[in-house]
Amino acid sequence: MFVSTIEANFESCKFKGTWSGRIRGKVENCDFSEANLEMVAFIDQKDVGDNIINGQGLAIIENAGQHKSALKSALGEESKIWIHIRENTGLFVVNIKKHQDSEVLLRVFANLPFVKVVPNA
């Protein structure tokens, strides 16, 4: 599977359209409210910060790389979504509804304190 990496800094940007991949660089004061985030790894962004990220069924994992082992353990053999998270991954956002293991993710993510499953964050 090929996942593109955008290496750039984004400040005060408004994102639109569908996004999937990785962003390596600073992301500050950006608005993702009109973007369809399918699966995005923000390498250098540890948390949501002052960015606007919303949408039905989004799972937001802050400091995801630090939680990779816990995700793997919690998901067991039911889902392999954790393979998309590297040790250096900061913020990781996935649209649960678009993932093949959506029922598993909804059930497991609801019990993990470092995952927010929200319409707005």
mmCIF file of all heavy atoms in Angstrom, residues 40-49 53 59-71 82 84-93 112-116:
data_model
loop_
_atom_site.group_PDB
_atom_site.id
_atom_site.type_symbol
_atom_site.label_atom_id
_atom_site.label_comp_id
_atom_site.label_asym_id
_atom_site.label_seq_id
_atom_site.Cartn_x
_atom_site.Cartn_y
_atom_site.Cartn_z
ATOM 1 N N VAL A 40 -5.361 9.976 8.391
ATOM 2 C CA VAL A 40 -4.270 10.938 8.287
ATOM 3 C C VAL A 40 -3.379 10.839 9.521
ATOM 4 O O VAL A 40 -3.860 10.877 10.652
ATOM 5 C CB VAL A 40 -4.795 12.385 8.152
ATOM 6 C CG1 VAL A 40 -3.644 13.358 7.998
ATOM 7 C CG2 VAL A 40 -5.753 12.507 6.969
ATOM 8 N N ALA A 41 -2.086 10.696 9.293
ATOM 9 C CA ALA A 41 -1.096 10.693 10.362
ATOM 10 C C ALA A 41 -0.372 12.036 10.322
ATOM 11 O O ALA A 41 0.208 12.403 9.305
ATOM 12 C CB ALA A 41 -0.103 9.558 10.174
ATOM 13 N N PHE A 42 -0.465 12.767 11.415
ATOM 14 C CA PHE A 42 0.247 14.035 11.557
ATOM 15 C C PHE A 42 1.533 13.716 12.327
ATOM 16 O O PHE A 42 1.500 13.552 13.547
ATOM 17 C CB PHE A 42 -0.596 15.049 12.324
ATOM 18 C CG PHE A 42 -1.871 15.448 11.626
ATOM 19 C CD1 PHE A 42 -3.024 14.680 11.741
ATOM 20 C CD2 PHE A 42 -1.920 16.600 10.851
ATOM 21 C CE1 PHE A 42 -4.199 15.047 11.103
ATOM 22 C CE2 PHE A 42 -3.093 16.976 10.211
ATOM 23 C CZ PHE A 42 -4.234 16.198 10.337
ATOM 24 N N ILE A 43 2.630 13.609 11.627
ATOM 25 C CA ILE A 43 3.881 13.151 12.228
ATOM 26 C C ILE A 43 4.386 14.103 13.315
ATOM 27 O O ILE A 43 4.740 13.676 14.408
ATOM 28 C CB ILE A 43 4.973 12.949 11.145
ATOM 29 C CG1 ILE A 43 4.485 12.007 10.047
ATOM 30 C CG2 ILE A 43 6.273 12.447 11.773
ATOM 31 C CD1 ILE A 43 4.098 10.614 10.484
ATOM 32 N N ASP A 44 4.402 15.382 13.036
ATOM 33 C CA ASP A 44 4.986 16.352 13.964
ATOM 34 C C ASP A 44 3.957 17.060 14.845
ATOM 35 O O ASP A 44 4.302 17.979 15.575
ATOM 36 C CB ASP A 44 5.787 17.396 13.181
ATOM 37 C CG ASP A 44 6.950 16.754 12.417
ATOM 38 O OD1 ASP A 44 7.522 15.776 12.928
ATOM 39 O OD2 ASP A 44 7.255 17.229 11.317
ATOM 40 N N GLN A 45 2.722 16.651 14.795
ATOM 41 C CA GLN A 45 1.648 17.276 15.572
ATOM 42 C C GLN A 45 1.190 16.261 16.607
ATOM 43 O O GLN A 45 0.549 15.278 16.275
ATOM 44 C CB GLN A 45 0.488 17.649 14.633
ATOM 45 C CG GLN A 45 -0.635 18.379 15.275
ATOM 46 C CD GLN A 45 -0.277 19.829 15.554
ATOM 47 O OE1 GLN A 45 0.575 20.409 14.897
ATOM 48 N NE2 GLN A 45 -0.923 20.396 16.537
ATOM 49 N N LYS A 46 1.515 16.466 17.884
ATOM 50 C CA LYS A 46 1.202 15.483 18.931
ATOM 51 C C LYS A 46 -0.261 15.491 19.352
ATOM 52 O O LYS A 46 -0.789 14.489 19.812
ATOM 53 C CB LYS A 46 2.084 15.715 20.166
ATOM 54 C CG LYS A 46 3.558 15.560 19.888
ATOM 55 C CD LYS A 46 3.891 14.146 19.515
ATOM 56 C CE LYS A 46 5.376 13.986 19.253
ATOM 57 N NZ LYS A 46 5.704 12.775 18.585
ATOM 58 N N ASP A 47 -0.929 16.654 19.231
ATOM 59 C CA ASP A 47 -2.323 16.746 19.650
ATOM 60 C C ASP A 47 -3.084 17.687 18.717
ATOM 61 O O ASP A 47 -2.508 18.280 17.818
ATOM 62 C CB ASP A 47 -2.437 17.203 21.106
ATOM 63 C CG ASP A 47 -1.672 18.488 21.379
ATOM 64 O OD1 ASP A 47 -1.664 19.391 20.513
ATOM 65 O OD2 ASP A 47 -1.084 18.612 22.462
ATOM 66 N N VAL A 48 -4.381 17.811 18.957
ATOM 67 C CA VAL A 48 -5.210 18.652 18.091
ATOM 68 C C VAL A 48 -4.771 20.107 18.164
ATOM 69 O O VAL A 48 -4.761 20.813 17.159
ATOM 70 C CB VAL A 48 -6.708 18.510 18.460
ATOM 71 C CG1 VAL A 48 -7.545 19.493 17.669
ATOM 72 C CG2 VAL A 48 -7.180 17.092 18.208
ATOM 73 N N GLY A 49 -4.386 20.558 19.342
ATOM 74 C CA GLY A 49 -3.927 21.940 19.511
ATOM 75 C C GLY A 49 -5.002 22.933 19.121
ATOM 76 O O GLY A 49 -6.166 22.777 19.471
ATOM 77 N N ILE A 53 -10.810 20.033 13.969
ATOM 78 C CA ILE A 53 -11.005 18.740 13.319
ATOM 79 C C ILE A 53 -12.363 18.233 13.764
ATOM 80 O O ILE A 53 -12.589 18.021 14.949
ATOM 81 C CB ILE A 53 -9.905 17.732 13.713
ATOM 82 C CG1 ILE A 53 -8.535 18.246 13.286
ATOM 83 C CG2 ILE A 53 -10.197 16.366 13.110
ATOM 84 C CD1 ILE A 53 -7.368 17.397 13.736
ATOM 85 N N ALA A 59 -12.159 9.080 14.718
ATOM 86 C CA ALA A 59 -11.390 8.703 15.903
ATOM 87 C C ALA A 59 -10.114 9.523 15.863
ATOM 88 O O ALA A 59 -9.425 9.574 14.842
ATOM 89 C CB ALA A 59 -11.068 7.219 15.899
ATOM 90 N N ILE A 60 -9.821 10.186 16.969
ATOM 91 C CA ILE A 60 -8.636 11.030 17.066
ATOM 92 C C ILE A 60 -7.746 10.460 18.155
ATOM 93 O O ILE A 60 -8.151 10.354 19.311
ATOM 94 C CB ILE A 60 -9.030 12.484 17.383
ATOM 95 C CG1 ILE A 60 -9.922 13.027 16.256
ATOM 96 C CG2 ILE A 60 -7.796 13.350 17.584
ATOM 97 C CD1 ILE A 60 -10.556 14.362 16.562
ATOM 98 N N ILE A 61 -6.535 10.077 17.760
ATOM 99 C CA ILE A 61 -5.586 9.490 18.701
ATOM 100 C C ILE A 61 -4.416 10.456 18.833
ATOM 101 O O ILE A 61 -3.667 10.673 17.879
ATOM 102 C CB ILE A 61 -5.074 8.118 18.220
ATOM 103 C CG1 ILE A 61 -6.251 7.194 17.900
ATOM 104 C CG2 ILE A 61 -4.146 7.504 19.256
ATOM 105 C CD1 ILE A 61 -5.856 5.917 17.194
ATOM 106 N N GLU A 62 -4.287 11.062 20.003
ATOM 107 C CA GLU A 62 -3.172 11.977 20.250
ATOM 108 C C GLU A 62 -1.966 11.161 20.708
ATOM 109 O O GLU A 62 -2.112 10.133 21.372
ATOM 110 C CB GLU A 62 -3.567 13.024 21.277
ATOM 111 C CG GLU A 62 -4.675 13.937 20.755
ATOM 112 C CD GLU A 62 -5.068 15.051 21.703
ATOM 113 O OE1 GLU A 62 -5.001 14.855 22.935
ATOM 114 O OE2 GLU A 62 -5.433 16.119 21.213
ATOM 115 N N ASN A 63 -0.776 11.603 20.323
ATOM 116 C CA ASN A 63 0.464 10.883 20.629
ATOM 117 C C ASN A 63 0.346 9.406 20.258
ATOM 118 O O ASN A 63 0.683 8.517 21.039
ATOM 119 C CB ASN A 63 0.830 11.038 22.114
ATOM 120 C CG ASN A 63 1.201 12.447 22.466
ATOM 121 O OD1 ASN A 63 1.995 13.073 21.785
ATOM 122 N ND2 ASN A 63 0.609 12.952 23.522
ATOM 123 N N ALA A 64 -0.143 9.141 19.075
ATOM 124 C CA ALA A 64 -0.459 7.776 18.642
ATOM 125 C C ALA A 64 0.730 6.823 18.697
ATOM 126 O O ALA A 64 0.575 5.663 19.075
ATOM 127 C CB ALA A 64 -1.049 7.807 17.235
ATOM 128 N N GLY A 65 1.906 7.285 18.311
ATOM 129 C CA GLY A 65 3.088 6.422 18.331
ATOM 130 C C GLY A 65 3.381 5.869 19.706
ATOM 131 O O GLY A 65 3.806 4.720 19.854
ATOM 132 N N GLN A 66 3.132 6.675 20.733
ATOM 133 C CA GLN A 66 3.353 6.225 22.105
ATOM 134 C C GLN A 66 2.342 5.166 22.518
ATOM 135 O O GLN A 66 2.576 4.416 23.461
ATOM 136 C CB GLN A 66 3.269 7.404 23.075
ATOM 137 C CG GLN A 66 4.395 8.384 22.927
ATOM 138 C CD GLN A 66 4.264 9.553 23.890
ATOM 139 O OE1 GLN A 66 3.287 9.685 24.628
ATOM 140 N NE2 GLN A 66 5.250 10.417 23.894
ATOM 141 N N HIS A 67 1.205 5.110 21.829
ATOM 142 C CA HIS A 67 0.134 4.179 22.184
ATOM 143 C C HIS A 67 0.030 2.985 21.235
ATOM 144 O O HIS A 67 -0.911 2.208 21.323
ATOM 145 C CB HIS A 67 -1.210 4.918 22.211
ATOM 146 C CG HIS A 67 -1.257 6.027 23.203
ATOM 147 N ND1 HIS A 67 -1.177 5.822 24.556
ATOM 148 C CD2 HIS A 67 -1.351 7.363 23.036
ATOM 149 C CE1 HIS A 67 -1.239 6.980 25.183
ATOM 150 N NE2 HIS A 67 -1.338 7.930 24.280
ATOM 151 N N LYS A 68 1.002 2.825 20.360
ATOM 152 C CA LYS A 68 0.931 1.764 19.355
ATOM 153 C C LYS A 68 0.794 0.375 19.991
ATOM 154 O O LYS A 68 -0.050 -0.425 19.570
ATOM 155 C CB LYS A 68 2.150 1.809 18.441
ATOM 156 C CG LYS A 68 2.098 0.769 17.348
ATOM 157 C CD LYS A 68 3.250 0.886 16.387
ATOM 158 C CE LYS A 68 3.120 -0.178 15.311
ATOM 159 N NZ LYS A 68 3.976 0.087 14.178
ATOM 160 N N SER A 69 1.588 0.075 20.997
ATOM 161 C CA SER A 69 1.515 -1.242 21.647
ATOM 162 C C SER A 69 0.171 -1.459 22.318
ATOM 163 O O SER A 69 -0.395 -2.555 22.249
ATOM 164 C CB SER A 69 2.630 -1.392 22.686
ATOM 165 O OG SER A 69 3.876 -1.400 22.047
ATOM 166 N N ALA A 70 -0.362 -0.422 22.958
ATOM 167 C CA ALA A 70 -1.669 -0.532 23.614
ATOM 168 C C ALA A 70 -2.771 -0.752 22.578
ATOM 169 O O ALA A 70 -3.702 -1.537 22.814
ATOM 170 C CB ALA A 70 -1.954 0.713 24.444
ATOM 171 N N LEU A 71 -2.671 -0.077 21.432
ATOM 172 C CA LEU A 71 -3.647 -0.280 20.361
ATOM 173 C C LEU A 71 -3.584 -1.710 19.840
ATOM 174 O O LEU A 71 -4.621 -2.365 19.667
ATOM 175 C CB LEU A 71 -3.392 0.691 19.214
ATOM 176 C CG LEU A 71 -3.845 2.123 19.404
ATOM 177 C CD1 LEU A 71 -3.234 3.009 18.339
ATOM 178 C CD2 LEU A 71 -5.358 2.201 19.375
ATOM 179 N N TRP A 82 -3.502 -0.547 13.668
ATOM 180 C CA TRP A 82 -2.298 -0.077 14.339
ATOM 181 C C TRP A 82 -1.058 -0.131 13.443
ATOM 182 O O TRP A 82 -0.088 0.568 13.680
ATOM 183 C CB TRP A 82 -2.048 -0.858 15.628
ATOM 184 C CG TRP A 82 -2.014 -2.342 15.422
ATOM 185 C CD1 TRP A 82 -3.077 -3.205 15.506
ATOM 186 C CD2 TRP A 82 -0.888 -3.140 15.064
ATOM 187 N NE1 TRP A 82 -2.670 -4.486 15.216
ATOM 188 C CE2 TRP A 82 -1.334 -4.479 14.951
ATOM 189 C CE3 TRP A 82 0.450 -2.865 14.827
ATOM 190 C CZ2 TRP A 82 -0.483 -5.514 14.610
ATOM 191 C CZ3 TRP A 82 1.302 -3.905 14.489
ATOM 192 C CH2 TRP A 82 0.829 -5.206 14.384
ATOM 193 N N HIS A 84 -0.666 1.128 10.683
ATOM 194 C CA HIS A 84 -0.514 2.416 10.005
ATOM 195 C C HIS A 84 0.152 3.461 10.894
ATOM 196 O O HIS A 84 0.440 4.565 10.438
ATOM 197 C CB HIS A 84 -1.878 2.933 9.549
ATOM 198 C CG HIS A 84 -2.546 2.031 8.569
ATOM 199 N ND1 HIS A 84 -2.134 1.899 7.265
ATOM 200 C CD2 HIS A 84 -3.600 1.177 8.710
ATOM 201 C CE1 HIS A 84 -2.893 1.018 6.640
ATOM 202 N NE2 HIS A 84 -3.789 0.573 7.496
ATOM 203 N N ILE A 85 0.369 3.110 12.143
ATOM 204 C CA ILE A 85 0.950 4.055 13.108
ATOM 205 C C ILE A 85 2.396 3.674 13.348
ATOM 206 O O ILE A 85 2.704 2.551 13.735
ATOM 207 C CB ILE A 85 0.143 4.035 14.428
ATOM 208 C CG1 ILE A 85 -1.298 4.482 14.159
ATOM 209 C CG2 ILE A 85 0.810 4.917 15.474
ATOM 210 C CD1 ILE A 85 -2.223 4.311 15.344
ATOM 211 N N ARG A 86 3.275 4.612 13.119
ATOM 212 C CA ARG A 86 4.706 4.398 13.381
ATOM 213 C C ARG A 86 5.053 4.974 14.745
ATOM 214 O O ARG A 86 4.305 5.772 15.302
ATOM 215 C CB ARG A 86 5.546 5.079 12.300
ATOM 216 C CG ARG A 86 5.318 4.463 10.946
ATOM 217 C CD ARG A 86 6.193 5.109 9.926
ATOM 218 N NE ARG A 86 5.995 4.460 8.628
ATOM 219 C CZ ARG A 86 6.427 4.933 7.509
ATOM 220 N NH1 ARG A 86 7.097 6.062 7.484
ATOM 221 N NH2 ARG A 86 6.211 4.292 6.384
ATOM 222 N N GLU A 87 6.196 4.604 15.252
ATOM 223 C CA GLU A 87 6.624 5.079 16.573
ATOM 224 C C GLU A 87 6.696 6.598 16.652
ATOM 225 O O GLU A 87 6.473 7.179 17.699
ATOM 226 C CB GLU A 87 7.990 4.476 16.934
ATOM 227 C CG GLU A 87 7.992 2.958 17.017
ATOM 228 C CD GLU A 87 7.069 2.388 18.083
ATOM 229 O OE1 GLU A 87 6.911 3.009 19.150
ATOM 230 O OE2 GLU A 87 6.499 1.309 17.841
ATOM 231 N N ASN A 88 7.003 7.257 15.527
ATOM 232 C CA ASN A 88 7.142 8.718 15.530
ATOM 233 C C ASN A 88 5.845 9.449 15.188
ATOM 234 O O ASN A 88 5.836 10.663 15.033
ATOM 235 C CB ASN A 88 8.249 9.144 14.562
ATOM 236 C CG ASN A 88 7.912 8.843 13.107
ATOM 237 O OD1 ASN A 88 7.087 7.996 12.805
ATOM 238 N ND2 ASN A 88 8.583 9.530 12.200
ATOM 239 N N THR A 89 4.733 8.713 15.059
ATOM 240 C CA THR A 89 3.456 9.351 14.718
ATOM 241 C C THR A 89 2.940 10.153 15.898
ATOM 242 O O THR A 89 2.910 9.668 17.025
ATOM 243 C CB THR A 89 2.398 8.292 14.313
ATOM 244 O OG1 THR A 89 2.898 7.545 13.205
ATOM 245 C CG2 THR A 89 1.084 8.954 13.939
ATOM 246 N N GLY A 90 2.525 11.368 15.614
ATOM 247 C CA GLY A 90 1.908 12.208 16.632
ATOM 248 C C GLY A 90 0.409 11.978 16.629
ATOM 249 O O GLY A 90 -0.087 10.977 17.121
ATOM 250 N N LEU A 91 -0.316 12.887 16.017
ATOM 251 C CA LEU A 91 -1.771 12.815 15.931
ATOM 252 C C LEU A 91 -2.170 11.875 14.791
ATOM 253 O O LEU A 91 -1.597 11.933 13.705
ATOM 254 C CB LEU A 91 -2.312 14.225 15.669
ATOM 255 C CG LEU A 91 -3.816 14.422 15.627
ATOM 256 C CD1 LEU A 91 -4.422 14.200 17.007
ATOM 257 C CD2 LEU A 91 -4.123 15.839 15.156
ATOM 258 N N PHE A 92 -3.140 10.999 15.052
ATOM 259 C CA PHE A 92 -3.629 10.072 14.034
ATOM 260 C C PHE A 92 -5.143 10.171 14.001
ATOM 261 O O PHE A 92 -5.805 10.036 15.022
ATOM 262 C CB PHE A 92 -3.205 8.638 14.376
ATOM 263 C CG PHE A 92 -3.519 7.626 13.309
ATOM 264 C CD1 PHE A 92 -2.698 7.477 12.206
ATOM 265 C CD2 PHE A 92 -4.630 6.809 13.426
ATOM 266 C CE1 PHE A 92 -2.978 6.543 11.230
ATOM 267 C CE2 PHE A 92 -4.916 5.863 12.454
ATOM 268 C CZ PHE A 92 -4.093 5.728 11.354
ATOM 269 N N VAL A 93 -5.697 10.455 12.829
ATOM 270 C CA VAL A 93 -7.138 10.620 12.677
ATOM 271 C C VAL A 93 -7.637 9.611 11.641
ATOM 272 O O VAL A 93 -7.068 9.493 10.565
ATOM 273 C CB VAL A 93 -7.494 12.059 12.208
ATOM 274 C CG1 VAL A 93 -8.992 12.215 12.038
ATOM 275 C CG2 VAL A 93 -6.955 13.094 13.191
ATOM 276 N N LEU A 112 -10.735 3.145 25.209
ATOM 277 C CA LEU A 112 -9.338 3.573 25.300
ATOM 278 C C LEU A 112 -9.282 5.053 25.669
ATOM 279 O O LEU A 112 -9.796 5.895 24.927
ATOM 280 C CB LEU A 112 -8.607 3.322 23.985
ATOM 281 C CG LEU A 112 -8.496 1.852 23.558
ATOM 282 C CD1 LEU A 112 -7.877 1.738 22.177
ATOM 283 C CD2 LEU A 112 -7.697 1.051 24.575
ATOM 284 N N PRO A 113 -8.653 5.405 26.792
ATOM 285 C CA PRO A 113 -8.653 6.797 27.251
ATOM 286 C C PRO A 113 -7.908 7.769 26.348
ATOM 287 O O PRO A 113 -8.161 8.967 26.388
ATOM 288 C CB PRO A 113 -7.981 6.715 28.623
ATOM 289 C CG PRO A 113 -7.170 5.466 28.591
ATOM 290 C CD PRO A 113 -7.900 4.523 27.679
ATOM 291 N N PHE A 114 -7.024 7.282 25.498
ATOM 292 C CA PHE A 114 -6.247 8.163 24.631
ATOM 293 C C PHE A 114 -6.868 8.326 23.249
ATOM 294 O O PHE A 114 -6.283 8.948 22.377
ATOM 295 C CB PHE A 114 -4.800 7.663 24.509
ATOM 296 C CG PHE A 114 -4.686 6.215 24.115
ATOM 297 C CD1 PHE A 114 -4.678 5.851 22.781
ATOM 298 C CD2 PHE A 114 -4.591 5.227 25.077
ATOM 299 C CE1 PHE A 114 -4.575 4.522 22.405
ATOM 300 C CE2 PHE A 114 -4.478 3.893 24.709
ATOM 301 C CZ PHE A 114 -4.475 3.543 23.378
ATOM 302 N N VAL A 115 -8.075 7.769 23.040
ATOM 303 C CA VAL A 115 -8.780 7.899 21.758
ATOM 304 C C VAL A 115 -10.076 8.664 21.990
ATOM 305 O O VAL A 115 -10.843 8.347 22.892
ATOM 306 C CB VAL A 115 -9.108 6.524 21.144
ATOM 307 C CG1 VAL A 115 -9.842 6.683 19.814
ATOM 308 C CG2 VAL A 115 -7.841 5.707 20.935
ATOM 309 N N LYS A 116 -10.305 9.676 21.158
ATOM 310 C CA LYS A 116 -11.564 10.411 21.187
ATOM 311 C C LYS A 116 -12.359 10.022 19.951
ATOM 312 O O LYS A 116 -11.878 10.175 18.836
ATOM 313 C CB LYS A 116 -11.318 11.924 21.157
ATOM 314 C CG LYS A 116 -10.547 12.451 22.332
ATOM 315 C CD LYS A 116 -10.254 13.928 22.128
ATOM 316 C CE LYS A 116 -9.275 14.414 23.167
ATOM 317 N NZ LYS A 116 -8.807 15.761 22.888
#
